[in-house]
């Protein structure tokens, strides 16, 4: 019966996703499909060229699609949908650490795989956020597993947790949002410091296949540095703090202040934990991890619309460990996520959810809500007449590698005139009134998470 219930949930999740599988967003047409074409034409050895700046493990998965002759649109979305189920699996396992009631565990699984933002991210947008988040959630699961022999983790669970975190950061840099929990657990002598070695080791091992076919070492090791330097806006469609601050001009000082604020919040928590010595429990580990996933991207500048993905999942999982009133957290975060996704998928992504001027399959609407104004410039090579990037050619020998492979995270800004700009100065990037409302939801969630951490960590059990 239990297997039947889980299978039914998976079937329902797939059925809900099916109507969205034929939609092609801007990210797919301009970037993901071209990465597929490059690997399809050049084979695995095409990885020696820099045609994309997602890290290599994701490109390996796309290459597998080409080797199996799976169509690009369906295949790219199918990869993410598979990891939606993996997310649900780890939500089930974490709930199982709390209760033996199958129905509660099944509910955790169902809520995660059926979350509107999770469905939209994989089936509609075709993004890879489920992949790194699934590995991150797996790492959290191993951190939370009880050790009957001591107060700390078992050695095997410590290593497995860090292996999973290494896999997470190998796919997306955004996995580091929750890494403060590792520092906390090392300081509290719950997690052996030497187990952290597994994270860079796994990351480097994941890049070996690309190095083996001739990718330059400098290129391989600088993927995330290139990503960090590519955008200079306080917010790129994210429902973070900077949607709430009406400011324009060169706001580099505010970007630096936001980075400092995020660092100070982490340091303040670590210092408080060191002196107050609150209990380290499965619940406190989950709550602190969730708080990091909410607060860190809320304070950091240069955040994209999808960078609260881990928060969207973790707040749901966390709610199974806390009293019923804490369900307000996932509700606030999901409300912000749905709004942001609607803004993106009806704006710079071209269409979606009945958006203005939305096109049918294979087309992109023009100048819908949030679409960049005509003639807006960026520092990237090539643009179409309406201000969108125009990279010509998708395969080897067709345009420069940089033109062929500009990353999907580097698409045109376009949230109320806050697009990307060349140079080192930060611009505001603020969106319309709707994005300000969504940011207020996330601000309430961030404040609520601070209170939740304090209340949870004060408990000794």
């Amino acid at each position: 019966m239990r297997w039947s219930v889980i299978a039914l949930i998976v079937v329902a999740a797939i059925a809900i996703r099916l109507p969205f599988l034929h939609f092609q967003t801007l990210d797919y047409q301009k970037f993901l499909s071209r990465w597929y074409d490059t690997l399809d034409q050049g084979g695995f050895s095409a990885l020696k060229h820099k045609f994309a700046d997602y890290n290599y493990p994701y490109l390996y998965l796309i290459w597998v699609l080409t080797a199996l002759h799976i169509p690009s649109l369906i295949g790219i979305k199918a990869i993410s949908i598979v990891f939606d189920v993996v997310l649900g699996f780890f939500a089930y396992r974490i709930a199982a650490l709390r209760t033996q009631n199958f129905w509660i565990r099944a509910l955790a699984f169902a809520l995660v795989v059926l979350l509107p933002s999770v469905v939209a991210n994989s089936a509609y947008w075709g993004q890879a956020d489920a992949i790194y988040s699934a590995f991150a959630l797996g790492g959290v699961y191993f951190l939370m597993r009880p050790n009957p022999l001591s107060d700390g983790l078992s050695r095997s669970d410590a290593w497995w947790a860090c292996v999973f975190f290494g896999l997470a950061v190998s796919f997306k840099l955004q996995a580091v949002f929750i890494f403060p929990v590792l520092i906390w657990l090392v300081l509290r002598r719950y997690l052996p410091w030497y187990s952290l070695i597994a994270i860079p080791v796994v990351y480097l091992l994941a890049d070996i296949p690309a190095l083996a076919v001739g990718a330059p070492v400098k290129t391989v090791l600088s993927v995330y540095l290139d990503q960090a330097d590519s955008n200079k806006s306080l917010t790129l469609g994210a429902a973070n703090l900077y949607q709430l601050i009406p400011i324009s001009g060169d706001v580099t000082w505010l970007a630096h202040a936001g980075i400092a604020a995020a660092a100070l919040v982490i340091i303040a928590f670590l210092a408080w934990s060191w002196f107050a010595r609150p209990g380290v429990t499965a619940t406190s580990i989950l709550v602190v991890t969730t708080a990091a996933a909410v607060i860190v991207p809320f304070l950091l500048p240069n955040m994209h619309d999808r960078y609260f993905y881990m928060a969207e999942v973790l707040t749901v999982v966390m709610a199974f460990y806390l009293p019923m009133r804490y369900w307000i957290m996932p509700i606030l975060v999901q409300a912000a996520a749905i709004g942001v996704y609607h803004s993106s998928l009806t704006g710079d992504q071209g269409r979606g959810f009945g958006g203005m001027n939305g096109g049918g399959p294979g087309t992109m609407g023009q100048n819908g809500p949030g679409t960049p104004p005509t003639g807006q410039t960026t520092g990237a090579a090539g643009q179409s007449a309406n201000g969108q990037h125009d990279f010509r050619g998708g395969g080897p020998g067709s345009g420069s590698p940089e033109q062929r492979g500009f990353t999907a995270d580097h698409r045109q800004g376009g949230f109320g005139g806050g697009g990307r700009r060349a140079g080192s100065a930060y611009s505001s990037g603020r969106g319309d009134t709707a994005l300000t409302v969504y940011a207020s939801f996330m601000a309430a969630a961030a404040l609520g998470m601070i209170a939740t951490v304090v209340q949870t960590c004060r408990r000794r059990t």
Side-chain angles (χ1 to χ4, degrees):
M1 182 198 68
R2 293 183 178 186
W3 280 108
S4 298
V5 170
I6 296 299
L8 184 62
I9 295 171
V10 172
V11 170
I14 294 173
I16 288 173
R17 286 162 169 78
L18 287 177
F20 304 116
L21 294 184
H22 66 282
F23 284 100
Q24 298 182 16
T25 60
L26 175 65
D27 279 352
Y28 170 77
Q29 292 191 342
K30 291 293 185 182
F31 312 114
L32 299 174
S33 65
R34 298 191 178 194
W35 301 352
Y36 179 100
D37 290 342
T38 300
L39 289 165
D40 190 35
Q41 297 175 36
F44 196 79
S45 61
L47 292 169
K48 65 185 176 183
H49 302 295
K50 184 179 180 181
F51 61 90
D53 64 358
Y54 268 29
N55 204 22
Y56 292 94
Y58 184 61
L59 301 180
Y60 303 156
L61 295 180
I62 294 179
W63 172 78
V64 171
L65 297 177
T66 67
L68 297 176
H69 304 292
I70 298 174
S72 60
L73 181 61
I74 296 298
I76 286 170
K77 292 186 176 184
I79 290 172
S80 297
I81 290 170
V82 167
F83 279 93
D84 288 350
V85 177
V86 178
L87 268 176
F89 167 78
F90 280 117
Y92 179 98
R93 296 304 306 160
I94 291 174
L97 298 177
R98 182 70 168 177
T99 179
Q100 293 301 310
N101 188 314
F102 166 75
W103 297 106
I104 295 178
R105 290 179 278 164
L107 179 62
F109 178 87
L111 286 177
V112 167
V113 298
L114 298 175
L115 272 180
S117 59
V118 171
V119 173
N121 188 284
S122 60
Y124 196 110
W125 210 331
Q127 292 292 348
D129 298 282
I131 302 177
Y132 81 89
S133 297
F135 286 124
L137 198 60
V140 174
Y141 165 70
F142 282 106
L143 288 179
M144 294 173 62
R145 276 168 45 117
N147 181 5
L149 301 179
S150 71
D151 293 333
L153 277 181
S154 68
R155 187 171 299 180
S156 62
D157 282 346
W159 284 110
W160 275 115
C162 291
V163 165
F164 270 82
F165 284 124
L167 288 169
V169 79
S170 295
F171 278 91
K172 291 292 286 289
L173 180 60
Q174 287 71 49
V176 302
F177 293 161
I178 63 173
F179 277 22
V181 73
L182 300 177
I183 302 173
W184 173 53
L185 295 178
V186 168
L187 290 177
R188 294 304 310 276
R189 304 192 180 202
Y190 179 88
L191 178 70
W193 65 267
Y194 53 79
S195 62
L196 298 180
I197 298 171
I199 297 175
V201 168
V202 169
Y203 180 89
L204 293 174
L205 287 175
D207 286 334
I208 286 179
L211 292 170
V213 297
V217 174
K218 182 179 179 181
T219 299
V220 170
L221 298 181
S222 64
V223 169
Y224 290 150
L225 292 176
D226 292 342
Q227 287 183 4
D229 289 339
S230 64
N231 303 303
K232 295 294 181 181
S233 291
L234 293 177
T235 178
L236 291 153
N240 65 357
L241 174 64
Y242 308 101
Q243 297 287 359
L244 304 174
I245 302 176
I247 193 170
S248 60
D250 184 351
V251 290
T252 303
W253 64 272
L254 186 54
H256 294 164
I259 296 170
L264 285 174
V265 167
I266 295 169
I267 293 170
F269 168 73
L270 294 175
W272 171 77
S273 179
W274 177 261
F275 289 106
R277 314 297 289 181
V280 176
T281 65
T283 301
S284 64
I285 291 170
L286 182 56
V287 168
V288 171
T289 305
T290 305
V294 174
I295 296 169
V296 172
F298 184 76
L299 294 175
L300 288 179
N302 213 20
M303 295 291 101
H304 285 263
D305 32 27
R306 296 175 286 104
Y307 285 7
F308 284 99
Y309 188 91
M310 282 194 297
E312 296 155 19
V313 174
L314 282 167
T315 48
V316 171
V317 178
M318 179 194 73
F320 283 88
Y321 273 71
L322 299 174
M324 184 66 70
R325 65 181 179 273
Y326 288 95
W327 276 97
I328 188 63
M329 299 302 176
I331 291 172
L332 286 169
V333 172
Q334 194 61 206
I338 292 171
V340 166
Y341 274 54
H342 180 273
S343 181
S344 286
L345 293 172
T346 58
D348 71 334
Q349 287 304 307
R351 62 171 171 275
F353 304 137
M356 183 183 302
N357 297 324
T363 67
M364 292 185 293
Q366 299 297 326
N367 295 325
T371 303
T374 300
Q376 183 173 331
T377 60
T378 71
Q383 279 186 300
S384 65
N386 72 336
Q388 301 287 8
H389 294 299
D390 182 17
F391 299 105
R392 306 188 183 281
S398 178
S400 69
E402 290 77 10
Q403 289 175 320
R404 294 196 305 271
F406 206 69
T407 177
D409 263 353
H410 297 172
R411 64 183 184 276
Q412 178 72 15
F415 292 89
R420 301 175 180 87
R421 303 169 187 270
S424 59
Y426 278 81
S427 60
S428 171
R430 289 184 74 227
D432 55 19
T433 303
L435 280 167
T436 303
V437 173
Y438 310 146
S440 68
F441 294 158
M442 198 64 74
L447 292 173
M449 285 309 309
I450 293 174
T452 304
V453 168
V454 173
Q455 293 170 12
T456 303
C457 287
R458 281 178 174 170
R459 303 190 188 104
R460 295 291 175 175
T461 59

